[in-house]
Amino acid sequence: MENKGFPRVLILIQPFNTNTGGGITLSNLFRGWPKDSIAVACRGYVINRTTQTDICNQYYQLGQKEQKWIFPFNLIRRKYYSGILDFSLKDDKKIVSKKSKTRVNFSKKYIDPLLTYLGFSHVLSDLSLSPQFCDWVDDFQPDIIYAQAAGRSTNAFCAKVQEYLKKPMVFHMMDDWPELLKEQSLFGKYWHKKIDLEVKDMLSKCSLHLAISESMAREYKSRYGIDFLTFHNPIDLSFWMKGQKKAYNLSQNIHILYAGRMGLGIEKSLQIMAKAVTKVNEKSPYKIKFLLQVSEKTDWMDKYECVEHRSYVAYEELPVHFGNADLLYLPYDFSEKSLKYIKYSMPTKASEYMVSGTPILIFAPKETALAEYALSYSWAKVVTHPEVDHLAEALKELLDNQKEREKLAETAIFLARQKHDAHVVRGKFREALNGMYCAQEAAV
């Protein structure tokens, strides 16, 4: 099969989208790859009408023929269609576009945490290679496998696919999810030890290993004895510079923006910022609004007069929203549990924030890859103490000092151009994957 520098890639677990870190990073790394040389296999619950088809339109949904639940969960869990998806059919009921919010929220709030705490979540289901899936893979004839995974069953599935195809596989780690296992259940130490061995086994089957940050690459070299290349989310400079900030004088009504996900590793620090803004508003002439551009409004937001909830906007509109804000907030939580999960992660929005030209305020433990990167290169104001007073003081200092805001923004833009330009990063990514493929061909 003629390669032409673009090997045929089977992508496992993660679809292309613009609303998850893994999906955004995937999209920005593979953009420009021939569409007929990419295919994706992922579970049904992550597929919906927001799934991107401009980069790849060959999707196989891993459903009830691949995902097997133990009794009695096999009787109550949603049964997803297994097979090829045709996104051109607007009324295709095989693509689950709507779910019961009541059911989903109840499960997230009560059922899933209980199952995780008891340790059952690791044994409830298994992903297998159905004959139908194998036929689809054989028809596609991939040269290499690219995988993202964040759990026991998906980790095992990646290993099974590699064993079946006997093709070189690259694994890209987004978050240090194996370390979080220690804190998740009554039997956390047992599951951490067991799954860590399974992760090592899966990694041993890979020909190339990618990390989301330099800190993660160093840690995994020490932990697993394997070299990892670093590939963080690259950005299309021409797209993100459309809304780039040019002026740094403050209006009377100041807007601080956080745009992204809620939940583990972030939400407590959003509440601390609300308290810090309230404190600054009470003791200064500033009138600050803390804008939360997140999926859903939560109860605590109503407790703060300064907080304003905004729904997600179209991805194409984000550059203007980022550039219009006076400050951009990039937080991580400080709890031990959160730190285990996000310590080596790098937020997808970090590079997007950087090129926006809007000054960035980071609130995160100094041990995180995010804080380390910002402190090393001075592209954001960083607060590494979890107290409200420290954050409020840093916020006021930044608002009082226009020269500091301009300097931080200037440095961030420079680094975004130097280290995160998608045109350059994609070239290195393609070179890495093509090198892996060529090495395999030469060995045959």
PDB file of all heavy atoms in Angstrom, residues 414-442:
ATOM      1  N   PHE A 414       4.224  35.457  22.238  1.00  0.00           N
ATOM      2  CA  PHE A 414       5.509  35.020  21.686  1.00  0.00           C
ATOM      3  C   PHE A 414       5.677  33.509  21.829  1.00  0.00           C
ATOM      4  O   PHE A 414       6.068  32.814  20.882  1.00  0.00           O
ATOM      5  CB  PHE A 414       6.655  35.749  22.383  1.00  0.00           C
ATOM      6  CG  PHE A 414       8.023  35.235  22.007  1.00  0.00           C
ATOM      7  CD1 PHE A 414       8.606  35.624  20.808  1.00  0.00           C
ATOM      8  CD2 PHE A 414       8.714  34.359  22.834  1.00  0.00           C
ATOM      9  CE1 PHE A 414       9.861  35.144  20.443  1.00  0.00           C
ATOM     10  CE2 PHE A 414       9.963  33.874  22.479  1.00  0.00           C
ATOM     11  CZ  PHE A 414      10.538  34.269  21.281  1.00  0.00           C
ATOM     12  N   LEU A 415       5.386  32.987  23.026  1.00  0.00           N
ATOM     13  CA  LEU A 415       5.539  31.550  23.262  1.00  0.00           C
ATOM     14  C   LEU A 415       4.533  30.737  22.455  1.00  0.00           C
ATOM     15  O   LEU A 415       4.848  29.640  21.978  1.00  0.00           O
ATOM     16  CB  LEU A 415       5.370  31.236  24.751  1.00  0.00           C
ATOM     17  CG  LEU A 415       6.576  31.535  25.636  1.00  0.00           C
ATOM     18  CD1 LEU A 415       6.198  31.412  27.098  1.00  0.00           C
ATOM     19  CD2 LEU A 415       7.716  30.576  25.310  1.00  0.00           C
ATOM     20  N   ALA A 416       3.323  31.253  22.315  1.00  0.00           N
ATOM     21  CA  ALA A 416       2.315  30.550  21.519  1.00  0.00           C
ATOM     22  C   ALA A 416       2.793  30.391  20.080  1.00  0.00           C
ATOM     23  O   ALA A 416       2.629  29.332  19.457  1.00  0.00           O
ATOM     24  CB  ALA A 416       0.985  31.309  21.563  1.00  0.00           C
ATOM     25  N   ARG A 417       3.397  31.448  19.545  1.00  0.00           N
ATOM     26  CA  ARG A 417       3.935  31.387  18.185  1.00  0.00           C
ATOM     27  C   ARG A 417       5.113  30.417  18.101  1.00  0.00           C
ATOM     28  O   ARG A 417       5.257  29.661  17.139  1.00  0.00           O
ATOM     29  CB  ARG A 417       4.400  32.773  17.734  1.00  0.00           C
ATOM     30  CG  ARG A 417       3.270  33.781  17.481  1.00  0.00           C
ATOM     31  CD  ARG A 417       3.888  35.149  17.158  1.00  0.00           C
ATOM     32  NE  ARG A 417       2.891  36.133  16.789  1.00  0.00           N
ATOM     33  CZ  ARG A 417       2.412  36.321  15.566  1.00  0.00           C
ATOM     34  NH1 ARG A 417       2.847  35.553  14.579  1.00  0.00           N
ATOM     35  NH2 ARG A 417       1.517  37.251  15.317  1.00  0.00           N
ATOM     36  N   GLN A 418       5.953  30.445  19.117  1.00  0.00           N
ATOM     37  CA  GLN A 418       7.193  29.675  19.096  1.00  0.00           C
ATOM     38  C   GLN A 418       6.970  28.186  19.358  1.00  0.00           C
ATOM     39  O   GLN A 418       7.603  27.335  18.712  1.00  0.00           O
ATOM     40  CB  GLN A 418       8.163  30.233  20.142  1.00  0.00           C
ATOM     41  CG  GLN A 418       9.539  29.576  20.140  1.00  0.00           C
ATOM     42  CD  GLN A 418      10.416  30.121  21.258  1.00  0.00           C
ATOM     43  OE1 GLN A 418      10.076  30.011  22.437  1.00  0.00           O
ATOM     44  NE2 GLN A 418      11.533  30.720  20.884  1.00  0.00           N
ATOM     45  N   LYS A 419       6.078  27.851  20.296  1.00  0.00           N
ATOM     46  CA  LYS A 419       5.965  26.466  20.766  1.00  0.00           C
ATOM     47  C   LYS A 419       4.659  25.766  20.393  1.00  0.00           C
ATOM     48  O   LYS A 419       4.572  24.534  20.482  1.00  0.00           O
ATOM     49  CB  LYS A 419       6.127  26.429  22.304  1.00  0.00           C
ATOM     50  CG  LYS A 419       7.474  26.917  22.799  1.00  0.00           C
ATOM     51  CD  LYS A 419       7.503  27.020  24.307  1.00  0.00           C
ATOM     52  CE  LYS A 419       7.521  25.678  24.991  1.00  0.00           C
ATOM     53  NZ  LYS A 419       8.791  24.958  24.798  1.00  0.00           N
ATOM     54  N   HIS A 420       3.620  26.515  20.009  1.00  0.00           N
ATOM     55  CA  HIS A 420       2.308  25.890  19.819  1.00  0.00           C
ATOM     56  C   HIS A 420       1.690  26.126  18.442  1.00  0.00           C
ATOM     57  O   HIS A 420       0.510  25.835  18.253  1.00  0.00           O
ATOM     58  CB  HIS A 420       1.339  26.390  20.904  1.00  0.00           C
ATOM     59  CG  HIS A 420       1.847  26.162  22.292  1.00  0.00           C
ATOM     60  ND1 HIS A 420       2.009  24.902  22.824  1.00  0.00           N
ATOM     61  CD2 HIS A 420       2.248  27.033  23.258  1.00  0.00           C
ATOM     62  CE1 HIS A 420       2.477  25.000  24.066  1.00  0.00           C
ATOM     63  NE2 HIS A 420       2.639  26.286  24.335  1.00  0.00           N
ATOM     64  N   ASP A 421       2.458  26.624  17.500  1.00  0.00           N
ATOM     65  CA  ASP A 421       1.968  26.848  16.137  1.00  0.00           C
ATOM     66  C   ASP A 421       1.618  25.502  15.502  1.00  0.00           C
ATOM     67  O   ASP A 421       2.477  24.627  15.334  1.00  0.00           O
ATOM     68  CB  ASP A 421       3.048  27.555  15.326  1.00  0.00           C
ATOM     69  CG  ASP A 421       2.621  27.872  13.900  1.00  0.00           C
ATOM     70  OD1 ASP A 421       1.534  27.425  13.483  1.00  0.00           O
ATOM     71  OD2 ASP A 421       3.381  28.568  13.201  1.00  0.00           O
ATOM     72  N   ALA A 422       0.350  25.327  15.161  1.00  0.00           N
ATOM     73  CA  ALA A 422      -0.118  24.047  14.640  1.00  0.00           C
ATOM     74  C   ALA A 422       0.634  23.624  13.378  1.00  0.00           C
ATOM     75  O   ALA A 422       0.876  22.433  13.164  1.00  0.00           O
ATOM     76  CB  ALA A 422      -1.616  24.112  14.364  1.00  0.00           C
ATOM     77  N   HIS A 423       0.982  24.589  12.552  1.00  0.00           N
ATOM     78  CA  HIS A 423       1.691  24.259  11.319  1.00  0.00           C
ATOM     79  C   HIS A 423       3.001  23.539  11.629  1.00  0.00           C
ATOM     80  O   HIS A 423       3.345  22.536  10.977  1.00  0.00           O
ATOM     81  CB  HIS A 423       1.977  25.536  10.510  1.00  0.00           C
ATOM     82  CG  HIS A 423       2.744  25.289   9.241  1.00  0.00           C
ATOM     83  ND1 HIS A 423       2.174  24.708   8.127  1.00  0.00           N
ATOM     84  CD2 HIS A 423       4.054  25.525   8.929  1.00  0.00           C
ATOM     85  CE1 HIS A 423       3.091  24.606   7.178  1.00  0.00           C
ATOM     86  NE2 HIS A 423       4.226  25.098   7.635  1.00  0.00           N
ATOM     87  N   VAL A 424       3.720  24.009  12.645  1.00  0.00           N
ATOM     88  CA  VAL A 424       5.004  23.406  13.027  1.00  0.00           C
ATOM     89  C   VAL A 424       4.782  22.101  13.782  1.00  0.00           C
ATOM     90  O   VAL A 424       5.414  21.079  13.497  1.00  0.00           O
ATOM     91  CB  VAL A 424       5.816  24.391  13.894  1.00  0.00           C
ATOM     92  CG1 VAL A 424       7.104  23.738  14.384  1.00  0.00           C
ATOM     93  CG2 VAL A 424       6.123  25.662  13.114  1.00  0.00           C
ATOM     94  N   VAL A 425       3.860  22.121  14.761  1.00  0.00           N
ATOM     95  CA  VAL A 425       3.635  20.945  15.596  1.00  0.00           C
ATOM     96  C   VAL A 425       3.082  19.779  14.781  1.00  0.00           C
ATOM     97  O   VAL A 425       3.484  18.629  14.972  1.00  0.00           O
ATOM     98  CB  VAL A 425       2.683  21.283  16.764  1.00  0.00           C
ATOM     99  CG1 VAL A 425       2.358  20.040  17.584  1.00  0.00           C
ATOM    100  CG2 VAL A 425       3.294  22.357  17.664  1.00  0.00           C
ATOM    101  N   ARG A 426       2.160  20.073  13.860  1.00  0.00           N
ATOM    102  CA  ARG A 426       1.615  19.004  13.024  1.00  0.00           C
ATOM    103  C   ARG A 426       2.711  18.334  12.193  1.00  0.00           C
ATOM    104  O   ARG A 426       2.686  17.120  11.970  1.00  0.00           O
ATOM    105  CB  ARG A 426       0.545  19.554  12.085  1.00  0.00           C
ATOM    106  CG  ARG A 426      -0.791  19.792  12.742  1.00  0.00           C
ATOM    107  CD  ARG A 426      -1.842  20.196  11.707  1.00  0.00           C
ATOM    108  NE  ARG A 426      -2.953  20.866  12.368  1.00  0.00           N
ATOM    109  CZ  ARG A 426      -3.415  22.059  12.063  1.00  0.00           C
ATOM    110  NH1 ARG A 426      -2.852  22.755  11.094  1.00  0.00           N
ATOM    111  NH2 ARG A 426      -4.434  22.578  12.716  1.00  0.00           N
ATOM    112  N   GLY A 427       3.654  19.131  11.729  1.00  0.00           N
ATOM    113  CA  GLY A 427       4.764  18.569  10.963  1.00  0.00           C
ATOM    114  C   GLY A 427       5.573  17.596  11.789  1.00  0.00           C
ATOM    115  O   GLY A 427       5.938  16.504  11.322  1.00  0.00           O
ATOM    116  N   LYS A 428       5.842  17.953  13.047  1.00  0.00           N
ATOM    117  CA  LYS A 428       6.591  17.070  13.942  1.00  0.00           C
ATOM    118  C   LYS A 428       5.782  15.818  14.290  1.00  0.00           C
ATOM    119  O   LYS A 428       6.336  14.720  14.396  1.00  0.00           O
ATOM    120  CB  LYS A 428       6.972  17.828  15.215  1.00  0.00           C
ATOM    121  CG  LYS A 428       7.958  18.967  14.997  1.00  0.00           C
ATOM    122  CD  LYS A 428       8.260  19.693  16.304  1.00  0.00           C
ATOM    123  CE  LYS A 428       9.249  20.828  16.085  1.00  0.00           C
ATOM    124  NZ  LYS A 428       9.526  21.580  17.352  1.00  0.00           N
ATOM    125  N   PHE A 429       4.464  16.011  14.465  1.00  0.00           N
ATOM    126  CA  PHE A 429       3.594  14.892  14.790  1.00  0.00           C
ATOM    127  C   PHE A 429       3.542  13.899  13.622  1.00  0.00           C
ATOM    128  O   PHE A 429       3.686  12.682  13.810  1.00  0.00           O
ATOM    129  CB  PHE A 429       2.190  15.418  15.100  1.00  0.00           C
ATOM    130  CG  PHE A 429       1.173  14.362  15.430  1.00  0.00           C
ATOM    131  CD1 PHE A 429       1.216  13.708  16.648  1.00  0.00           C
ATOM    132  CD2 PHE A 429       0.175  14.042  14.530  1.00  0.00           C
ATOM    133  CE1 PHE A 429       0.278  12.733  16.973  1.00  0.00           C
ATOM    134  CE2 PHE A 429      -0.771  13.082  14.837  1.00  0.00           C
ATOM    135  CZ  PHE A 429      -0.720  12.422  16.058  1.00  0.00           C
ATOM    136  N   ARG A 430       3.351  14.428  12.435  1.00  0.00           N
ATOM    137  CA  ARG A 430       3.322  13.574  11.246  1.00  0.00           C
ATOM    138  C   ARG A 430       4.651  12.850  11.082  1.00  0.00           C
ATOM    139  O   ARG A 430       4.695  11.650  10.759  1.00  0.00           O
ATOM    140  CB  ARG A 430       3.020  14.426  10.016  1.00  0.00           C
ATOM    141  CG  ARG A 430       3.059  13.643   8.710  1.00  0.00           C
ATOM    142  CD  ARG A 430       2.944  14.579   7.516  1.00  0.00           C
ATOM    143  NE  ARG A 430       3.269  13.894   6.284  1.00  0.00           N
ATOM    144  CZ  ARG A 430       3.468  14.495   5.122  1.00  0.00           C
ATOM    145  NH1 ARG A 430       3.355  15.815   5.030  1.00  0.00           N
ATOM    146  NH2 ARG A 430       3.764  13.805   4.032  1.00  0.00           N
ATOM    147  N   GLU A 431       5.756  13.555  11.327  1.00  0.00           N
ATOM    148  CA  GLU A 431       7.082  12.954  11.208  1.00  0.00           C
ATOM    149  C   GLU A 431       7.254  11.798  12.197  1.00  0.00           C
ATOM    150  O   GLU A 431       7.823  10.755  11.859  1.00  0.00           O
ATOM    151  CB  GLU A 431       8.150  14.021  11.459  1.00  0.00           C
ATOM    152  CG  GLU A 431       9.576  13.544  11.314  1.00  0.00           C
ATOM    153  CD  GLU A 431      10.588  14.649  11.574  1.00  0.00           C
ATOM    154  OE1 GLU A 431      10.222  15.829  11.441  1.00  0.00           O
ATOM    155  OE2 GLU A 431      11.739  14.325  11.928  1.00  0.00           O
ATOM    156  N   ALA A 432       6.743  11.992  13.430  1.00  0.00           N
ATOM    157  CA  ALA A 432       6.860  10.952  14.463  1.00  0.00           C
ATOM    158  C   ALA A 432       6.068   9.702  14.072  1.00  0.00           C
ATOM    159  O   ALA A 432       6.559   8.576  14.179  1.00  0.00           O
ATOM    160  CB  ALA A 432       6.387  11.493  15.803  1.00  0.00           C
ATOM    161  N   LEU A 433       4.817   9.901  13.616  1.00  0.00           N
ATOM    162  CA  LEU A 433       3.987   8.760  13.242  1.00  0.00           C
ATOM    163  C   LEU A 433       4.500   8.076  11.977  1.00  0.00           C
ATOM    164  O   LEU A 433       4.511   6.843  11.880  1.00  0.00           O
ATOM    165  CB  LEU A 433       2.534   9.194  13.051  1.00  0.00           C
ATOM    166  CG  LEU A 433       1.630   9.068  14.290  1.00  0.00           C
ATOM    167  CD1 LEU A 433       2.138   9.913  15.437  1.00  0.00           C
ATOM    168  CD2 LEU A 433       0.194   9.428  13.948  1.00  0.00           C
ATOM    169  N   ASN A 434       4.940   8.865  11.020  1.00  0.00           N
ATOM    170  CA  ASN A 434       5.460   8.296   9.780  1.00  0.00           C
ATOM    171  C   ASN A 434       6.756   7.537  10.040  1.00  0.00           C
ATOM    172  O   ASN A 434       7.018   6.492   9.442  1.00  0.00           O
ATOM    173  CB  ASN A 434       5.690   9.388   8.736  1.00  0.00           C
ATOM    174  CG  ASN A 434       5.803   8.853   7.339  1.00  0.00           C
ATOM    175  OD1 ASN A 434       4.980   8.058   6.893  1.00  0.00           O
ATOM    176  ND2 ASN A 434       6.850   9.253   6.631  1.00  0.00           N
ATOM    177  N   GLY A 435       7.583   8.072  10.969  1.00  0.00           N
ATOM    178  CA  GLY A 435       8.820   7.389  11.327  1.00  0.00           C
ATOM    179  C   GLY A 435       8.538   6.028  11.962  1.00  0.00           C
ATOM    180  O   GLY A 435       9.242   5.046  11.686  1.00  0.00           O
ATOM    181  N   MET A 436       7.508   5.973  12.810  1.00  0.00           N
ATOM    182  CA  MET A 436       7.119   4.720  13.436  1.00  0.00           C
ATOM    183  C   MET A 436       6.674   3.713  12.389  1.00  0.00           C
ATOM    184  O   MET A 436       7.026   2.529  12.422  1.00  0.00           O
ATOM    185  CB  MET A 436       5.999   4.979  14.446  1.00  0.00           C
ATOM    186  CG  MET A 436       5.505   3.746  15.171  1.00  0.00           C
ATOM    187  SD  MET A 436       4.161   4.096  16.341  1.00  0.00           S
ATOM    188  CE  MET A 436       2.811   4.447  15.200  1.00  0.00           C
ATOM    189  N   TYR A 437       5.893   4.183  11.436  1.00  0.00           N
ATOM    190  CA  TYR A 437       5.389   3.315  10.352  1.00  0.00           C
ATOM    191  C   TYR A 437       6.538   2.802   9.491  1.00  0.00           C
ATOM    192  O   TYR A 437       6.619   1.605   9.177  1.00  0.00           O
ATOM    193  CB  TYR A 437       4.382   4.086   9.508  1.00  0.00           C
ATOM    194  CG  TYR A 437       4.043   3.403   8.204  1.00  0.00           C
ATOM    195  CD1 TYR A 437       3.266   2.265   8.176  1.00  0.00           C
ATOM    196  CD2 TYR A 437       4.533   3.901   6.989  1.00  0.00           C
ATOM    197  CE1 TYR A 437       2.948   1.635   6.981  1.00  0.00           C
ATOM    198  CE2 TYR A 437       4.229   3.284   5.798  1.00  0.00           C
ATOM    199  CZ  TYR A 437       3.443   2.143   5.794  1.00  0.00           C
ATOM    200  OH  TYR A 437       3.141   1.526   4.608  1.00  0.00           O
ATOM    201  N   CYS A 438       7.439   3.709   9.100  1.00  0.00           N
ATOM    202  CA  CYS A 438       8.558   3.310   8.235  1.00  0.00           C
ATOM    203  C   CYS A 438       9.484   2.320   8.915  1.00  0.00           C
ATOM    204  O   CYS A 438      10.007   1.403   8.292  1.00  0.00           O
ATOM    205  CB  CYS A 438       9.338   4.551   7.796  1.00  0.00           C
ATOM    206  SG  CYS A 438       8.414   5.634   6.671  1.00  0.00           S
ATOM    207  N   ALA A 439       9.672   2.521  10.245  1.00  0.00           N
ATOM    208  CA  ALA A 439      10.517   1.584  11.003  1.00  0.00           C
ATOM    209  C   ALA A 439       9.908   0.190  10.996  1.00  0.00           C
ATOM    210  O   ALA A 439      10.616  -0.818  10.883  1.00  0.00           O
ATOM    211  CB  ALA A 439      10.693   2.095  12.423  1.00  0.00           C
ATOM    212  N   GLN A 440       8.577   0.135  11.123  1.00  0.00           N
ATOM    213  CA  GLN A 440       7.887  -1.164  11.079  1.00  0.00           C
ATOM    214  C   GLN A 440       8.022  -1.821   9.710  1.00  0.00           C
ATOM    215  O   GLN A 440       8.259  -3.013   9.601  1.00  0.00           O
ATOM    216  CB  GLN A 440       6.399  -0.960  11.424  1.00  0.00           C
ATOM    217  CG  GLN A 440       5.550  -2.203  11.326  1.00  0.00           C
ATOM    218  CD  GLN A 440       5.732  -3.157  12.478  1.00  0.00           C
ATOM    219  OE1 GLN A 440       6.465  -2.847  13.423  1.00  0.00           O
ATOM    220  NE2 GLN A 440       5.075  -4.303  12.409  1.00  0.00           N
ATOM    221  N   GLU A 441       7.866  -1.018   8.653  1.00  0.00           N
ATOM    222  CA  GLU A 441       7.973  -1.550   7.290  1.00  0.00           C
ATOM    223  C   GLU A 441       9.374  -2.081   7.015  1.00  0.00           C
ATOM    224  O   GLU A 441       9.541  -3.121   6.369  1.00  0.00           O
ATOM    225  CB  GLU A 441       7.619  -0.450   6.283  1.00  0.00           C
ATOM    226  CG  GLU A 441       6.148  -0.091   6.250  1.00  0.00           C
ATOM    227  CD  GLU A 441       5.295  -1.217   5.749  1.00  0.00           C
ATOM    228  OE1 GLU A 441       5.349  -1.518   4.540  1.00  0.00           O
ATOM    229  OE2 GLU A 441       4.568  -1.821   6.564  1.00  0.00           O
ATOM    230  N   ALA A 442      10.371  -1.356   7.522  1.00  0.00           N
ATOM    231  CA  ALA A 442      11.747  -1.774   7.294  1.00  0.00           C
ATOM    232  C   ALA A 442      12.082  -3.074   8.022  1.00  0.00           C
ATOM    233  O   ALA A 442      12.929  -3.847   7.585  1.00  0.00           O
ATOM    234  CB  ALA A 442      12.704  -0.663   7.755  1.00  0.00           C
TER     235      ALA A 442
END
